[in-house]
Coordinates of all heavy atoms in Angstrom, one line a residue:
T326 N 74.5 109.0 103.4 CA 75.1 107.7 103.7 C 75.3 107.5 105.2 O 75.8 108.4 105.9 CB 76.4 107.6 103.0 OG1 76.2 107.7 101.6 CG2 77.1 106.2 103.2
E327 N 74.9 106.3 105.7 CA 75.1 106.0 107.1 C 76.5 105.5 107.3 O 77.1 104.8 106.4 CB 74.1 104.9 107.5 CG 72.7 105.4 107.6 CD 71.8 104.4 108.3 OE1 72.3 103.4 108.7 OE2 70.6 104.8 108.5
T328 N 77.1 105.9 108.4 CA 78.4 105.3 108.8 C 78.3 103.8 109.1 O 77.3 103.5 109.8 CB 79.1 106.1 109.9 OG1 78.1 106.1 111.1 CG2 79.3 107.5 109.6
P329 N 79.2 103.0 108.8 CA 79.1 101.6 109.0 C 79.1 101.2 110.5 O 79.7 101.9 111.3 CB 80.3 101.0 108.3 CG 80.7 102.0 107.3 CD 80.4 103.3 108.0
D330 N 78.3 100.2 110.8 CA 78.3 99.7 112.2 C 79.7 99.3 112.7 O 80.1 99.6 113.8 CB 77.4 98.4 112.3 CG 75.9 98.7 112.1 OD1 75.5 99.9 112.2 OD2 75.2 97.8 111.8
S331 N 80.5 98.8 111.8 CA 81.8 98.3 112.1 C 82.7 99.5 112.6 O 83.5 99.4 113.5 CB 82.5 97.6 111.0 OG 82.5 98.5 109.8
W332 N 82.5 100.7 111.9 CA 83.3 101.9 112.3 C 82.8 102.4 113.6 O 83.6 102.8 114.4 CB 83.2 102.9 111.1 CG 84.0 104.1 111.4 CD1 85.3 104.3 111.2 CD2 83.5 105.4 111.8 NE1 85.7 105.5 111.5 CE2 84.6 106.3 111.9 CE3 82.2 105.9 112.1 CZ2 84.5 107.6 112.2 CZ3 82.1 107.2 112.4 CH2 83.2 108.1 112.5
R333 N 81.5 102.5 113.7 CA 81.0 103.1 115.0 C 81.4 102.2 116.2 O 81.7 102.7 117.3 CB 79.5 103.3 114.9 CG 79.0 104.3 113.9 CD 77.6 104.8 114.1 NE 76.7 103.7 114.1 CZ 76.0 103.2 113.1 NH1 76.3 103.7 111.9 NH2 75.2 102.2 113.2
E334 N 81.4 100.9 116.0 CA 81.8 100.0 117.1 C 83.2 100.2 117.4 O 83.6 100.1 118.6 CB 81.5 98.6 116.7 CG 80.0 98.2 116.6 CD 79.7 96.9 115.9 OE1 80.6 96.3 115.4 OE2 78.5 96.6 115.7
H335 N 84.1 100.4 116.4 CA 85.5 100.6 116.6 C 85.7 101.9 117.4 O 86.5 101.9 118.4 CB 86.2 100.7 115.3 CG 87.6 101.1 115.4 ND1 88.6 100.3 115.8 CD2 88.3 102.3 115.2 CE1 89.8 100.9 115.9 NE2 89.6 102.1 115.5
V336 N 85.0 103.0 117.1 CA 85.1 104.2 117.9 C 84.7 104.0 119.3 O 85.4 104.5 120.2 CB 84.2 105.3 117.2 CG1 84.2 106.6 118.1 CG2 84.8 105.7 115.8
L337 N 83.6 103.3 119.5 CA 83.1 103.0 120.9 C 84.1 102.2 121.7 O 84.4 102.5 122.8 CB 81.8 102.3 120.8 CG 81.1 102.1 122.2 CD1 80.8 103.4 122.9 CD2 79.8 101.3 122.0
R338 N 84.7 101.2 121.0 CA 85.6 100.3 121.7 C 86.9 101.0 122.0 O 87.5 100.9 123.1 CB 85.9 99.1 120.8 CG 86.7 98.0 121.4 CD 86.7 96.7 120.6 NE 87.2 97.0 119.2 CZ 86.5 97.0 118.1 NH1 85.2 96.8 118.2 NH2 87.0 97.2 117.0
R339 N 87.4 101.8 121.1 CA 88.7 102.5 121.3 C 88.6 103.7 122.1 O 89.5 104.0 122.9 CB 89.3 102.9 119.9 CG 89.9 101.7 119.1 CD 91.2 101.1 119.8 NE 92.2 102.2 120.1 CZ 93.1 102.6 119.2 NH1 93.1 102.1 118.0 NH2 94.0 103.5 119.6
L340 N 87.6 104.5 122.0 CA 87.5 105.8 122.6 C 86.4 106.0 123.6 O 86.3 107.0 124.3 CB 87.4 106.9 121.5 CG 88.6 106.9 120.5 CD1 88.3 107.9 119.4 CD2 89.9 107.2 121.2
G341 N 85.5 105.0 123.6 CA 84.3 105.2 124.5 C 83.4 106.3 124.0 O 82.6 106.8 124.8
R342 N 83.4 106.6 122.7 CA 82.6 107.7 122.2 C 81.5 107.1 121.3 O 81.7 106.1 120.6 CB 83.5 108.6 121.4 CG 84.6 109.3 122.2 CD 84.1 110.6 122.8 NE 83.6 111.5 121.8 CZ 84.4 112.4 121.2 NH1 85.7 112.4 121.4 NH2 83.8 113.2 120.3
T343 N 80.4 107.8 121.2 CA 79.4 107.5 120.2 C 79.7 108.3 118.9 O 79.7 109.5 118.9 CB 78.0 107.9 120.8 OG1 77.8 107.2 122.0 CG2 76.9 107.6 119.7
A344 N 79.9 107.6 117.9 CA 80.3 108.2 116.6 C 79.0 108.7 115.8 O 77.9 108.1 116.0 CB 81.1 107.2 115.8
P345 N 79.2 109.6 114.9 CA 78.0 110.1 114.1 C 77.5 108.9 113.3 O 78.2 108.0 112.8 CB 78.6 111.1 113.2 CG 79.9 111.6 113.9 CD 80.4 110.4 114.6
H346 N 76.2 108.9 113.0 CA 75.5 107.9 112.3 C 75.4 108.1 110.8 O 75.2 107.2 110.0 CB 74.1 107.6 112.9 CG 74.1 106.8 114.1 ND1 73.7 105.5 114.1 CD2 74.5 107.1 115.4 CE1 73.8 105.0 115.3 NE2 74.3 105.9 116.1
R347 N 75.6 109.4 110.4 CA 75.5 109.7 109.0 C 76.7 110.6 108.6 O 77.3 111.3 109.4 CB 74.2 110.4 108.7 CG 73.0 109.5 108.8 CD 71.7 110.1 108.2 NE 71.4 111.4 108.7 CZ 70.6 112.2 108.1 NH1 70.1 111.9 106.9 NH2 70.3 113.4 108.7
L348 N 76.9 110.7 107.3 CA 78.0 111.5 106.8 C 77.6 113.0 106.6 O 78.4 113.8 106.3 CB 78.5 111.0 105.4 CG 79.1 109.6 105.4 CD1 79.6 109.3 103.9 CD2 80.3 109.6 106.3
T349 N 76.4 113.3 106.9 CA 75.9 114.7 106.8 C 75.6 115.3 108.2 O 75.4 114.6 109.1 CB 74.6 114.7 105.9 OG1 74.1 116.0 105.8 CG2 73.5 113.8 106.6
D350 N 75.6 116.6 108.2 CA 75.1 117.3 109.3 C 73.7 117.8 109.1 O 73.1 118.6 109.9 CB 76.0 118.6 109.6 CG 77.3 118.2 110.3 OD1 77.3 117.2 111.0 OD2 78.3 118.9 110.1

Side-chain angles (χ1 to χ4, degrees):
T326 301
E327 291 192 359
T328 56
D330 292 342
S331 57
W332 182 76
R333 294 198 303 272
E334 289 165 3
H335 173 75
V336 172
L337 184 63
R338 186 170 60 252
R339 284 292 308 273
L340 302 174
R342 296 274 300 278
T343 299
H346 280 253
R347 294 195 300 163
L348 293 184
T349 179
D350 285 330

